[in-house]
Amino acid sequence: MYLRGLVPGRRAVLALAIGAVSGWLAALAGMPLPWMLGPMIGNTLAAILSLPIRGPDRLRPLVIPVIGVMLGSAMTPEMFDAAGRYATSFALLLPFLGVTAFVSYAIYRRVGRYDPVTAFFSAMPGGLNDMLILGGAAGGNEKRIALAHAARVLLVILFVVLFYGYALDVSSTEVARGTAASALTPLDWALLAGAAIAGVPLGRALRLPAPQITGPMALSGALHLAGLVTVAPPGFLIVIAQVVIGTVIGCRFIGVSARQIGRDLSLGALSSVAMIAVAVGFAALLTAITGLPLSLSFLGYSPGGLTEMSLLALAMGQDVAYVSVLHLVRIMLVIFAAQPVFKATRRKDQSGTKAPRSGS
């Protein structure tokens, strides 16, 4: 009965088919995060056109741990070598994240009039998957959170490409941090699968935020740091996970008008421009202090995706390890700090609103 409940219905199958084709076309076009943004865009258009689709929501909990294991696979001993060589970059990272989040949050709250939960997780400079999961769990509007981060990733890539004159050279078979299935040993399969399966209850036991992703990420990271496994999950599983998640996101726009989607995307563009401006400022400060090239400093602080910024660093002949480590640390900081910070600020707001009443 349980397995039968996981089999998608006809509407969900149609949505997944649209997602797969859209992802393939996005990969051919060289779009960043093609297997995520492609299905999201394709199914958003299908929703606007009132096609008979439905999100494969029951498959989502099965694929989220795959993303967590993928993120954890980037935790290698080389990270600590880079951390020692670029201490100043990491020292400025926390204030950079604070300023970036504050500016973006102000835009979503004051200009967009988003509710506090949606504004907070839309403003966080984390990954689309991570913030969508955390924001949805906190009661935020997943449609708006998804559009905010999709706009940010696309605009950051566009800015870097136009400003530096480089283009991503990504083939249609490029998979973010994926490994060919044939390259995995039986032990690799067992350890990665174990991290995905055992990571979720571990995350819940440790009371981690969004345990479906942070638990597998932590367990996978521990396995990679210990050297027990040195590869990422199979590329085809990462593609499937992204297609499912992107399809679910796109289907959330069923019944939403094109005008509303356009408004949210415009607001996301405004926020992205502000975040890029903050990143340029901190990159210039870092360059003045350390003498690092401005292009490298900006790639490290840019509010784009880990994979996309790493690919750009490779295309530009920059230090890929530095860019990758800095973005991985940023993502980890945002994932583990977002929920506690949100709860703390909410408690402060609530206490601030109650105080005047007690004195009246």
Side-chain angles (χ1 to χ4, degrees):
M1 291 292 293
Y2 177 75
L3 291 177
R4 189 188 307 170
L6 294 177
V7 177
R10 286 179 296 178
R11 290 172 177 258
V13 169
L14 175 59
L16 286 169
I18 292 173
V21 173
S22 300
W24 177 68
L25 292 174
L28 285 179
M31 179 183 290
L33 279 177
W35 298 104
M36 169 72 66
L37 296 182
M40 175 182 163
I41 294 170
N43 279 285
T44 297
L45 292 175
I48 293 173
L49 295 173
S50 299
L51 296 183
I53 60 172
R54 177 180 295 171
D57 296 306
R58 293 179 179 177
L59 297 180
R60 190 169 179 248
L62 298 180
V63 301
I64 288 176
V66 176
I67 302 298
V69 173
M70 180 192 73
L71 291 173
S73 69
M75 301 181 196
T76 62
E78 288 75 20
M79 286 176 51
F80 298 101
D81 296 335
R85 289 186 286 120
Y86 300 108
T88 304
S89 302
F90 289 100
L92 288 175
L93 184 58
L94 199 56
F96 161 71
L97 292 176
V99 174
T100 301
F102 176 80
V103 171
S104 184
Y105 178 80
I107 290 174
Y108 284 113
R109 279 291 285 155
R110 305 302 179 187
V111 180
R113 301 295 181 183
Y114 281 13
D115 64 87
V117 181
T118 302
F120 183 88
F121 287 98
S122 295
M124 290 296 103
L128 189 154
N129 286 317
D130 326 322
M131 294 303 99
L132 183 68
I133 295 168
L134 287 170
N141 186 317
E142 293 188 347
K143 303 178 183 70
R144 287 182 161 176
I145 295 173
L147 280 175
H149 290 285
R152 172 173 59 84
V153 172
L154 287 171
L155 284 172
V156 169
I157 294 294
L158 181 62
F159 173 82
V160 175
V161 170
L162 292 179
F163 187 79
Y164 290 107
Y166 292 90
L168 285 174
D169 182 17
V170 184
S171 70
S172 61
T173 57
E174 179 68 43
V175 178
R177 305 194 67 83
T179 302
S182 59
L184 273 72
T185 66
L187 180 60
D188 292 331
W189 280 100
L191 290 175
L192 293 175
I197 296 170
V200 177
L202 175 65
R204 288 173 179 156
L206 296 176
R207 296 186 177 181
L208 297 176
Q212 302 96 330
I213 190 171
T214 53
M217 182 178 76
L219 194 51
S220 172
L223 292 173
H224 282 82
L225 287 173
L228 297 176
V229 61
T230 59
V231 296
F236 77 91
L237 286 181
I238 297 175
V239 167
I240 291 173
Q242 293 185 81
V243 169
V244 171
I245 295 174
T247 298
V248 169
I249 295 171
C251 289
R252 296 193 189 283
F253 294 95
I254 296 173
V256 180
S257 67
R259 179 178 180 182
Q260 182 63 51
I261 294 175
R263 179 185 180 278
D264 288 342
L265 278 176
S266 299
L267 195 63
L270 178 61
S271 170
S272 299
V273 170
M275 295 173 85
I276 290 172
V278 173
V280 170
F282 271 86
L285 175 62
L286 179 63
T287 294
I289 295 174
T290 65
L292 288 172
L294 180 60
S295 57
L296 179 61
S297 299
F298 177 76
L299 285 175
Y301 281 147
S302 60
L306 183 153
T307 302
E308 290 70 42
M309 293 301 101
S310 298
L311 286 171
L312 277 173
L314 181 65
M316 296 168 62
Q318 300 287 352
D319 189 338
V320 178
Y322 167 76
V323 174
S324 299
V325 170
L326 207 59
H327 279 277
L328 182 62
V329 172
R330 170 180 63 85
I331 291 171
M332 291 172 61
L333 283 174
V334 173
I335 288 176
F336 287 103
Q339 204 168 60
V341 171
F342 173 71
K343 290 181 178 178
T345 54
R346 291 290 286 170
R347 283 196 299 267
K348 183 177 179 180
D349 290 342
Q350 290 170 357
S351 64
T353 56
K354 290 178 181 178
R357 291 190 189 129
S358 63
S360 59

